[in-house]
Amino acid sequence: MAFYILRRMLLMIPTLFGILALSFVIVQFAPGGPVERVIAQIQGQDSGATSRFGGANSTIAAGRGGAASEFAGKYRGAQGLDPKFIAELEKQFGFDKPPLERFWLMIRNYAMFDFGRSYFRDAPVLSLIKEKLPVSMSLGLWMTFLSYAISIPLGIAKARREGEAFDMWTSAVIITGYAIPSFLFAILLIVLFAGGSFWQIFPLRGLTSDDFAQLSLVGKIKDYLWHIVLPVSALTLGAFATTTFLTKNAFIDEIRKQYVVTARMKGLTERRVLYGHVFRNAMLIVISGFPGAFISAFFTGSLLIETIFSLDGLGLLSFESTLNRDYPVVFANLYIFALLGLVINLISDLTYAWIDPRIDFETRET
């Protein structure tokens, strides 16, 4: 098993390299960029650009002349701007170097977890991620925990009562919940429970209250749980549908096998047959979906929820960075999520072997 773990860890290196290389190539051909973003701000065409370059307008204006800039054909909107200023922008963003050199510098720095500084936020990328991570972790971990805590017992119950009324109406509820987008459910929760039109029970924004630091430990826990009820509920509504049906079908498939019939003939109780024999085998397929569910809990679907509930997390950070062409933040998030996904995938495989010792990854061909 140690050799298998080592081999998988070594395979992470070319995988991460390929992900970053493909993303880097795509970015080279993507329209726009950080230089164009600053130029748009200077020309008054982009009010969302940052204050990092706000003080440069007077300097740029002084450099404007009648002659066309040498960068006019390279950057849209650069006509009439001082070529020296455009060159300084390229140097600040690292675009004065050839693409291949920039890529290798990025790979070398990322290997040491040096993600540089944000183009437009004037802060280290790692500090930005650390600042936003608690919000995404709160949403992601609670959503993953609740979805599995609901879907596994519900899936088992549906498998035991296949075709009965309980199976029918729970399926209808689950499918309906799955069909409702999480952001629509979030709006419904706000209307009902956050002072929209009915009750003012839960807060509308943030993970904590303004006086959180002054609260006792118990008070902090209550305040935190009070704030996450609505966003986590909105995320969890459709999250457990797939796992529920996966659990149900896996249990039904296992229950029909011969070893279950044999166990029942030996006089074992239904509970012991279900949880002593069927559970371990049926859960293998459920565990296989855990890495994707865990990673998606941190990003997929959380953007709109973070926006609706004014939660400043990684989803919102990644979205804004993509719009702003803040490439250091974009690539750092991509690198971290890809690495986390590979590690979780490895842990998932090791969990297979722990649950079912018959699985031996060392003898499996890669």
Side-chain angles (χ1 to χ4, degrees), residues 7 33 51 53 103-104 113 134 154 158 160 166 199 206 219 231 250 256 270 279 285 294 305 350:
R7 183 176 60 186
S51 59
F53 302 94
F103 176 72
W104 283 113
F113 286 89
L154 182 58
K158 287 173 65 63
R160 295 179 63 183
F166 174 81
W199 301 282
R256 294 171 177 171
E270 188 68 19
F279 184 82
I285 192 171
F294 185 81
I305 299 300
L350 297 179

Side-chain angles (χ1 to χ4, degrees), residues 119-135:
Y119 285 161
F120 299 110
R121 295 175 184 262
D122 197 21
V125 173
L126 196 57
S127 67
L128 289 174
I129 294 176
K130 288 181 179 179
E131 179 185 344
K132 315 297 182 183
L133 188 60
V135 174

Side-chain angles (χ1 to χ4, degrees), residues 30 64 68-69 106 139 141 150 155 186 196 215 235 246 255 272 289 311 351 353 357 359 362:
R64 294 187 179 186
S69 169
M106 183 180 71
L139 296 178
L141 291 176
I150 295 172
L215 298 175
L235 282 172
L246 191 64
I255 288 172
R272 186 170 180 183
L311 301 173
T351 307
I359 298 178
E362 289 187 336

Side-chain angles (χ1 to χ4, degrees), residues 115-118 123-130 317 326 328-329 332-333:
F115 303 113
R117 298 181 67 84
S118 167
V125 173
L126 196 57
S127 67
L128 289 174
I129 294 176
K130 288 181 179 179
L317 174 66
D326 200 346
V329 180
N333 275 296

Side-chain angles (χ1 to χ4, degrees), residues 224-275:
Y224 167 73
L225 294 176
W226 182 48
H227 279 77
I228 67 170
V229 167
L230 295 187
V232 171
S233 298
L235 282 172
T236 308
L237 176 66
F240 61 87
T242 302
T243 310
T244 299
F245 287 114
L246 191 64
T247 303
K248 173 191 172 182
N249 294 332
F251 269 80
I252 290 175
D253 184 60
E254 291 295 324
I255 288 172
R256 294 171 177 171
K257 291 184 177 179
Q258 185 61 43
Y259 76 90
V260 176
V261 177
T262 303
R264 286 171 174 167
M265 291 177 64
K266 288 182 178 180
L268 297 180
T269 63
E270 188 68 19
R271 182 178 182 84
R272 186 170 180 183
V273 170
L274 192 63
Y275 293 101

